[in-house]
Amino acid sequence: MNRPVELCSYPGLDDRISIVRVENEVDAVFVRTRRFNVLVDTLGTPEQCRMALDLLGIEASSLPLIVVNSHMDWDHFWGNAAIAGRAPILAHASALERLRDPAAQRTLREKASQDPRFRDVELVSPTVTFAGPAVLDGGDLTLELFHTPGHTPDHLAIWIRELRTCLAVDAVEHPIPEVWSRSSKDLRLLRESLGKICGLDADIVIPAHGNTSSPSTVRENLAYFDTLAERVESLAPGQLTDPDLCHAKGYRLQDFVSVPTSLPAELVGFYEECHRTNLGATVQAQIEKQK
Ligand SMILES: [Zn+2]
C-alpha cells in the first residue's frame, strides 16, 4: 500500500513553498515562481508522486514544471516515472554514476521483495545534469542548486536567497544526518557541506526528514560531529577498533543527541544505524590522524 501524501507548511514559510509529506518517510518540496513551478524530489513511488501532482494542481497550472532530484536515494527519486515525458528532471552529474552502479537495481529488488508498493517502480534517470552550481531564475524567486556531497556523492541543496530559505534535503537531518560511508573523506565532505549551509545564515532550513524548519538543526548537526570527534580522540588505540563501540556508554546515539520520544521504533533503529556509520567514519579519521 502506498502511504498517504499530504501538503503542509511551517510557521513563517512563504506561501509559494509547499511541503509535500509522506509521514515518517520523506518530504518533497514544491516551489511556485512567476515563470515556472519546481518540484524538488519525486517521493518513493510513482503512485505517491502522482498523488502529489494531483494535490498540487499541476494539471491546472499554465506554468511549466521543472523537477529536481536532490540525490539518488530511493525515497527521493523512485517517483520519477510519474514525471517522465512531462518535465525535465535535473540532477548533479554524479547522480548518473549512482544509477549505473549495480547497487541501484539491487536496492530496488530488495525493497520490492519486502513491500508490494515498490513492485511497479522503475528507475528513471534525470534528463538534465550539471557539475557546477546551477541557478533557476523564476523571476520573483531564484533557486540556486549547489553540490553538498557527504551524505551521498551526488547530493544537491537549494538556496532561495529572496526568502532566506534553504532546502537542505538530507545534508541536514533531525536528529542526525548520515555520512555516505565509513571513510574519512566522506565525513569531511559532509561536514564541509554542513558548513556551507551554516554559512548561508538562512532563516529557514528545510530537511527532507524530521519535520523541522529551524536553522538551529544545522548547528546541532555540526556540534554532533564535533563531539563525536572529541570523544573518539580520547579513546585508547585498542578501543578504536572495537566493533561494538556504538553500544558503549558515552558512544551511543542517545549520548550525543536527544532522540524524540515520538519517533517510531523503526526510525530509532534507522538513526542508530546512521550513528554507527558516522562513528565508524570518525574512528577512521582518527586512525589516519595518528599515522
Ligand atoms: Zn532521504
Side-chain angles (χ1 to χ4, degrees), residues 199-256:
L200 296 171
D201 195 22
D203 292 337
I204 293 181
V205 174
I206 302 176
H209 308 276
N211 302 4
T212 173
S213 63
S214 167
S216 65
T217 310
V218 189
R219 289 188 296 276
E220 285 158 16
N221 285 176
L222 278 166
Y224 159 76
F225 284 113
D226 286 346
T227 313
L228 259 182
E230 278 164 27
R231 297 227 182 127
V232 164
E233 222 169 45
S234 66
L235 284 169
Q239 290 174 292
L240 278 176
T241 47
D242 176 0
D244 284 325
L245 186 60
C246 65
H247 301 304
K249 200 161 183 297
Y251 294 88
R252 300 162 305 179
L253 174 64
Q254 68 265 35
D255 297 322
F256 292 87

Side-chain angles (χ1 to χ4, degrees), residues 25-26 41 70-71 73-76 151 169-170 173 208-209 270:
E25 187 162 287
V26 73
D41 287 343
S70 64
H71 62 300
D73 276 355
W74 70 269
D75 48 332
H76 299 265
H151 170 65
V169 197
D170 284 1
E173 189 154 342
H209 308 276
F270 170 80

Side-chain angles (χ1 to χ4, degrees), residues 226-291:
D226 286 346
T227 313
L228 259 182
E230 278 164 27
R231 297 227 182 127
V232 164
E233 222 169 45
S234 66
L235 284 169
Q239 290 174 292
L240 278 176
T241 47
D242 176 0
D244 284 325
L245 186 60
C246 65
H247 301 304
K249 200 161 183 297
Y251 294 88
R252 300 162 305 179
L253 174 64
Q254 68 265 35
D255 297 322
F256 292 87
V257 292
S258 61
V259 180
T261 48
S262 58
L263 217 57
E266 174 195 330
L267 279 180
V268 174
F270 170 80
Y271 285 112
E272 278 169 349
E273 275 309 303
C274 295
H275 173 67
R276 181 194 276 270
T277 311
N278 296 340
L279 182 60
T282 310
V283 164
Q284 187 54 36
Q286 179 63 17
I287 290 171
E288 288 166 21
K289 214 165 109 183
Q290 287 173 345
K291 271 185 189 156

Side-chain angles (χ1 to χ4, degrees), residues 22-287:
V22 178
E23 190 68 47
N24 284 331
E25 187 162 287
V26 73
D27 289 354
V29 179
F30 187 69
V31 186
R32 295 171 190 80
T33 75
R34 204 181 293 145
R35 294 184 178 134
F36 44 72
N37 296 315
V38 183
L39 178 64
V40 180
D41 287 343
T42 59
L43 307 173
T45 68
E47 186 52 32
Q48 285 177 174
C49 187
R50 276 189 283 273
M51 288 192 252
L53 297 177
D54 282 349
L55 285 174
L56 293 162
I58 293 291
E59 287 295 345
S61 172
S62 56
L63 294 176
L65 175 66
I66 297 173
V67 172
V68 176
N69 283 160
S70 64
H71 62 300
M72 298 287 121
D73 276 355
W74 70 269
D75 48 332
H76 299 265
F77 89 101
W78 278 8
N80 276 7
I83 301 295
R86 301 178 70 168
I89 304 177
L90 281 56
H92 190 267
S94 53
L96 298 176
E97 285 161 41
R98 289 198 61 202
L99 271 181
R100 281 193 288 263
D101 192 295
Q105 289 291 348
R106 200 166 52 232
T107 307
L108 179 54
R109 279 195 304 274
E110 276 168 19
K111 290 196 76 75
S113 71
Q114 294 156 2
D115 188 336
R117 73 184 165 122
F118 297 118
R119 289 191 189 142
D120 293 337
V121 172
E122 48 172 320
L123 302 186
V124 172
S125 301
T127 53
V128 181
T129 58
F130 51 91
V135 177
L136 306 179
D137 184 352
D140 53 343
L141 299 177
T142 49
L143 282 74
E144 300 172 35
L145 281 54
F146 61 104
H147 194 203
T148 40
H151 170 65
T152 63
D154 55 330
H155 195 280
L156 291 172
I158 295 172
W159 173 228
I160 309 173
R161 192 176 293 272
E162 295 84 355
L163 304 176
R164 302 207 64 74
T165 295
C166 178
L167 312 182
V169 197
D170 284 1
V172 174
E173 189 154 342
H174 179 72
I176 55 164
E178 184 183 31
V179 70
W180 174 241
S181 76
R182 294 180 184 204
S183 93
S184 59
K185 180 177 169 248
D186 288 324
L187 175 65
R188 179 174 51 77
L189 288 172
L190 182 55
R191 291 179 75 166
E192 281 172 7
S193 292
L194 280 163
K196 246 189 254 181
I197 292 170
C198 193
L200 296 171
D201 195 22
D203 292 337
I204 293 181
V205 174
I206 302 176
H209 308 276
N211 302 4
T212 173
S213 63
S214 167
S216 65
T217 310
V218 189
R219 289 188 296 276
E220 285 158 16
N221 285 176
L222 278 166
Y224 159 76
F225 284 113
D226 286 346
T227 313
L228 259 182
E230 278 164 27
R231 297 227 182 127
V232 164
E233 222 169 45
S234 66
L235 284 169
Q239 290 174 292
L240 278 176
T241 47
D242 176 0
D244 284 325
L245 186 60
C246 65
H247 301 304
K249 200 161 183 297
Y251 294 88
R252 300 162 305 179
L253 174 64
Q254 68 265 35
D255 297 322
F256 292 87
V257 292
S258 61
V259 180
T261 48
S262 58
L263 217 57
E266 174 195 330
L267 279 180
V268 174
F270 170 80
Y271 285 112
E272 278 169 349
E273 275 309 303
C274 295
H275 173 67
R276 181 194 276 270
T277 311
N278 296 340
L279 182 60
T282 310
V283 164
Q284 187 54 36
Q286 179 63 17
I287 290 171

